[in-house]
Amino acid sequence: MLVVAAMKSDMRSRANHTQRYMQHHESMPEGERPESGFVTHLPIISINTTDPAEIIPGEVAPKDGMPETYASCEVVIYDNEDQWNTLQDAADIQADGLIRIRGNTSRKFDKKSYLLKFGTQQKKEEFSVMGMNPSDKWVLHGPFLDRTLLRNYLCYNVAGQIMEYAPQTRYCEMFINGEYQGLYLAVEAISVEEGRLELSKTGKKNPVTSWLVRWDRDEKSDNKLDNFTYYTYQGGISSLDLLYPGKAACTPEKKAYVESEISMIERSLYMRESNSRLKGYSMYIDTAEFARYFVINEFFENIDAGRFSTYYYKDVRGKVKPVVWDFNNGSDNYIFFSTDGGGFNMVQSPWLGEMLKDELFVNEVIYQYTALRKDLLSDENLDRMIDETIAYLGEAVDRNYDKYGYVFLLENVDDINYLSPVERNYTSYEQSVQQLKDQIHARGRWMDRNIEILLQYCRESKNALKLNY
């Protein structure tokens, strides 16, 4: 009863959900719309590379631990509050920057996504972009394989209402060297700084430290950890990359501390008594936050979650918590194969797969899913968010597909810019949106019926070998 009461208390504390700014609730601009030139109600980002003939690097990911390279550029942002935006307006931000292509499979798409840094190689600068907290580092996500242009915006904003931190994001329209690039999302990069992940800092001579790590493909690691899951081959083809402390501040002693602490946590996950609240992993892991992370990612069928593009952080004074990231492949939008709305993906992930062997954690997942399904994850709420966002975007969707509308023709399908097999691709924006709604509804119905089958992962098999001594 105490455990159930604690879970209910936690959920009641979030009954009204975290207040989160959502761009689609903005009102349309006041005043007369300019009659000529490029005009939009969304912010505009205009990027001009120092050498217009230079190709922005990053289409091919570097190998063997080589660093990413950047092109120097000028960044101009037009963001007139409650007014129309044009390229002739006074700039809200005008600054030097560095830019490269980012992503995994998406690096090859016709429409690129970018990592943007304000400043130069010698000195970084921080700016508040479109009302978000100041930083030097921003992700410019170009939704492309997601023909709805909605998945990341929708999922980040849902997660941001129930989790301690989820990246803020804003729609904008983008130009590079004077050429229109379409509808983009400016997204907070996951980093340790004020307004994002605010972790306690320790002195350079102190080996004890807060940390931020990323699960991802082994070859992408820049500062790979030699932790228990890695050296016992429990992580498959993924490994942990240490992002904070960054290389400049990461002494050998601090890295050794992080490896030791994570290995201790992982041993507690894999130990026989891991489901003991006194001896096990819950001494080190925020189980409520991980339960919400599990629900959000499973509901939207984010098949990378828990293994790739997965971020965990720990304040030196607190417990490990997760951060959501990248739902572009969610809701049956994975490029290589279709998901049918059934099954649970994260039962195979290194940490969460072990946590699901704990009946207390599974009950927490079930309880929180049930509560969220009545509210934020209801069909009615999600349909409303989708419809309101599309209405808010308005002509920006049309402009985006004036440039990229060939993706709906299916006349020259390739294995880079389209879902496989070809039958999964839709021939209009409206059909793509309907597919997203239908998939969300189908997934919700399946999870409503089957959420409690998660209990099978924490029950002893009836066929377990019985030894007599």
Side-chain angles (χ1 to χ4, degrees):
M1 290 295 292
L2 290 177
V3 172
V4 173
M7 289 191 294
K8 289 183 178 179
S9 176
D10 176 75
M11 207 56 184
R12 278 197 296 269
S13 71
R14 293 174 179 267
N16 296 319
H17 308 300
T18 302
Q19 291 297 312
R20 183 178 174 91
Y21 173 86
M22 288 184 280
Q23 186 183 17
H24 69 277
H25 289 158
E26 286 184 353
S27 58
M28 294 297 289
E30 299 176 355
E32 187 175 348
R33 174 178 176 144
E35 295 183 357
S36 62
F38 183 85
V39 182
T40 177
H41 64 294
L42 299 175
I44 303 171
I45 297 182
S46 177
I47 294 173
N48 296 293
T49 56
T50 303
D51 178 2
E54 180 182 6
I55 297 175
I56 296 175
E59 185 166 340
V60 178
K63 296 182 179 180
D64 302 322
M66 296 296 292
E68 301 269 11
T69 57
Y70 293 77
S72 298
C73 63
E74 179 191 49
V75 185
V76 184
I77 298 180
Y78 305 93
D79 185 15
N80 299 308
E81 187 175 358
D82 299 325
Q83 301 295 323
W84 297 102
N85 290 301
T86 77
L87 294 168
Q88 287 71 49
D89 294 336
D92 184 57
I93 295 172
Q94 186 166 2
D96 291 329
L98 301 167
I99 189 170
R100 68 167 172 86
I101 297 169
R102 67 168 305 279
N104 188 45
T105 307
S106 62
R107 289 178 188 251
K108 297 288 187 180
F109 293 166
D110 289 355
K111 184 182 183 182
K112 309 298 184 186
S113 292
Y114 301 93
L115 182 64
L116 174 68
K117 294 182 178 181
F118 285 112
T120 65
Q121 295 284 5
Q122 292 73 38
K123 183 181 179 181
K124 69 178 184 180
E125 295 185 81
E126 295 186 347
F127 290 94
S128 173
V129 172
M130 304 171 202
M132 295 180 280
N133 288 306
S135 178
D136 70 304
K137 187 185 297 184
W138 298 88
V139 170
L140 303 177
H141 168 61
F144 182 64
L145 195 66
D146 173 17
R147 311 297 197 222
T148 71
L149 314 171
L150 298 170
R151 281 172 169 82
N152 273 326
Y153 179 83
L154 175 70
C155 296
Y156 287 153
N157 280 315
V158 171
Q161 295 176 74
I162 62 171
M163 297 193 68
E164 185 167 305
Y165 172 76
Q168 291 278 354
T169 186
R170 304 286 191 273
Y171 280 110
C172 58
E173 294 184 81
M174 193 161 83
F175 289 78
I176 294 181
N177 293 331
E179 182 179 351
Y180 182 67
Q181 302 297 312
L183 186 67
Y184 272 71
L185 281 169
V187 186
E188 292 180 337
I190 297 176
S191 55
V192 177
E193 55 187 298
E194 185 177 356
R196 295 188 183 176
L197 297 177
E198 299 183 355
L199 303 184
S200 303
K201 297 182 179 180
T202 58
K204 192 167 185 177
K205 294 183 178 180
N206 187 352
V208 178
T209 181
S210 303
W211 45 263
L212 167 65
V213 296
R214 180 183 65 209
W215 275 111
D216 219 320
R217 292 161 181 82
D218 187 62
E219 69 273 8
K220 293 179 68 173
S221 293
D222 186 45
N223 194 8
K224 187 187 303 181
L225 295 178
D226 187 21
N227 53 297
F228 176 80
T229 298
Y230 182 73
Y231 62 69
T232 57
Y233 303 101
Q234 300 295 323
I237 63 173
S238 62
S239 62
L240 282 176
D241 192 20
L242 181 61
L243 304 182
Y244 179 87
K247 279 191 170 182
C250 186
T251 63
E253 292 77 16
K254 286 184 182 290
K255 185 174 182 180
Y257 170 82
V258 176
E259 288 176 334
S260 176
E261 184 166 53
I262 289 177
S263 293
M264 176 187 66
I265 293 168
E266 291 177 329
R267 289 190 188 98
S268 75
L269 280 167
Y270 285 89
M271 68 188 293
R272 187 178 181 86
E273 298 87 1
S274 64
N275 62 351
S276 166
R277 291 287 163 141
L278 297 177
K279 298 181 180 179
Y281 69 93
S282 61
M283 296 175 63
Y284 316 106
I285 288 178
D286 187 325
T287 54
E289 196 75 348
F290 267 82
R292 289 185 277 271
Y293 177 86
F294 182 92
V295 168
I296 288 291
N297 282 285
E298 288 289 358
F299 185 84
F300 290 108
E301 299 176 278
N302 185 2
I303 66 173
D304 281 347
R307 292 174 294 176
F308 308 123
S309 299
T310 295
Y311 295 80
Y312 297 153
Y313 66 98
K314 181 181 180 296
D315 189 271
V316 69
R317 299 184 178 91
K319 294 184 177 184
V320 184
K321 299 176 184 180
V323 185
V324 296
W325 187 250
D326 194 4
F327 291 84
N328 194 53
N329 292 329
S331 299
D332 194 23
N333 202 53
Y334 187 59
I335 188 170
F336 298 115
F337 56 81
S338 176
T339 56
D340 61 5
F344 291 104
N345 173 66
M346 282 186 285
V347 298
Q348 303 177 53
S349 62
W351 285 23
L352 281 153
E354 292 301 310
M355 293 170 70
L356 290 169
K357 296 177 181 178
D358 175 9
E359 187 171 357
L360 296 178
F361 178 73
V362 172
N363 280 326
E364 195 157 6
V365 168
I366 293 170
Y367 182 85
Q368 297 206 24
Y369 170 76
T370 303
L372 288 168
R373 186 75 170 115
K374 297 174 182 177
D375 189 1
L376 285 182
L377 296 183
S378 69
D379 290 352
E380 294 76 17
N381 182 63
L382 296 174
D383 282 354
R384 181 170 56 251
M385 283 188 69
I386 289 170
D387 291 341
E388 289 176 352
T389 303
I390 292 171
Y392 171 74
L393 292 175
E395 294 177 358
V397 173
D398 298 328
R399 285 191 291 269
N400 182 84
Y401 284 118
D402 284 343
K403 182 176 181 69
Y404 300 108
Y406 59 84
V407 296
F408 294 126
L409 300 179
L410 307 185
E411 294 176 352
N412 296 295
V413 174
D414 56 44
D415 58 0
I416 294 174
N417 295 292
Y418 296 83
L419 300 174
S420 179
V422 65
E423 293 77 17
R424 296 176 60 209
N425 297 276
Y426 292 89
T427 57
S428 71
Y429 180 73
E430 292 73 20
Q431 288 179 5
S432 300
V433 170
Q434 192 59 52
Q435 179 275 332
L436 174 60
K437 287 184 177 181
D438 291 345
Q439 188 70 15
I440 287 173
H441 299 169
R443 181 60 172 168
R445 290 193 299 270
W446 187 90
M447 287 186 67
D448 291 346
R449 295 192 303 267
N450 294 283
I451 188 69
E452 293 191 1
I453 70 172
L454 286 171
L455 290 166
Q456 69 179 308
Y457 296 103
C458 55
R459 302 281 171 81
E460 184 177 356
S461 172
K462 293 181 180 179
N463 298 319
L465 180 63
K466 305 296 183 182
L467 297 179
N468 297 315
Y469 291 95

